[in-house]
Amino acid sequence: MTRFPSAKHLASWTGVCPGHHESAGRAKSTKVRPGNCYLKGALGLAAFGASRIKDTFLQARYRRLTSRRGQMRALVAVEHSILSTVWHMLTQDTRFHDLGGDYYTTHNPERALRRITRQANALGLTVRFEPIEAA
């Protein structure tokens, strides 16, 4: 892994790095970059499997992105996450630690409350949050 100075360099070499190709307000091609086809294929299978395992960070990431971007783009984003995780594990000599399926709600609870409130308002409902009393 010393060949790649950062996880972004590895993702670019593999061809799973995100791109923003826009000029004068018009979106250009959104195809995946060319890269190592064998590694990209293996990452695709790993991402597909990881998105189906319950209560994991990668499944939560896949579900969040699928609603906005679609299934294929969400899979490429999960591939990027897996590759970035592998780079960090190999360069820092650490073990894998899953953040959990509830990472997005526990990491920033105010954001989760705003999202729930916005969804309820879109349905024409009002929401009032009260803390649960300790037993």
Side-chain angles (χ1 to χ4, degrees), residues 20-113:
H20 184 69
H21 307 292
E22 183 178 327
S23 177
R26 300 196 55 162
K28 303 290 184 181
S29 173
T30 57
K31 291 183 180 179
V32 180
R33 296 176 46 91
N36 189 325
C37 60
Y38 301 108
L39 181 56
K40 203 184 307 186
L43 280 173
L45 292 174
F48 187 75
S51 66
R52 301 297 190 266
I53 298 174
K54 293 182 180 181
D55 295 329
T56 61
F57 172 76
L58 293 175
Q59 184 198 30
R61 181 164 171 75
Y62 175 78
R63 286 184 170 217
R64 283 174 55 109
L65 293 173
T66 302
S67 63
R68 292 193 316 261
R69 305 288 292 163
Q71 292 178 349
M72 294 307 290
R73 289 183 179 174
L75 273 178
V76 172
V78 171
E79 289 176 23
H80 185 271
S81 297
I82 290 172
L83 195 61
S84 176
T85 302
V86 167
W87 185 87
H88 285 287
M89 287 171 49
L90 292 176
T91 56
Q92 299 170 0
D93 195 29
T94 58
R95 297 178 60 94
F96 176 71
H97 172 68
D98 188 29
L99 298 175
D102 60 347
Y103 171 77
Y104 290 110
T105 55
T106 57
H107 179 67
N108 194 350
E110 293 84 19
R111 186 176 192 182
L113 290 176

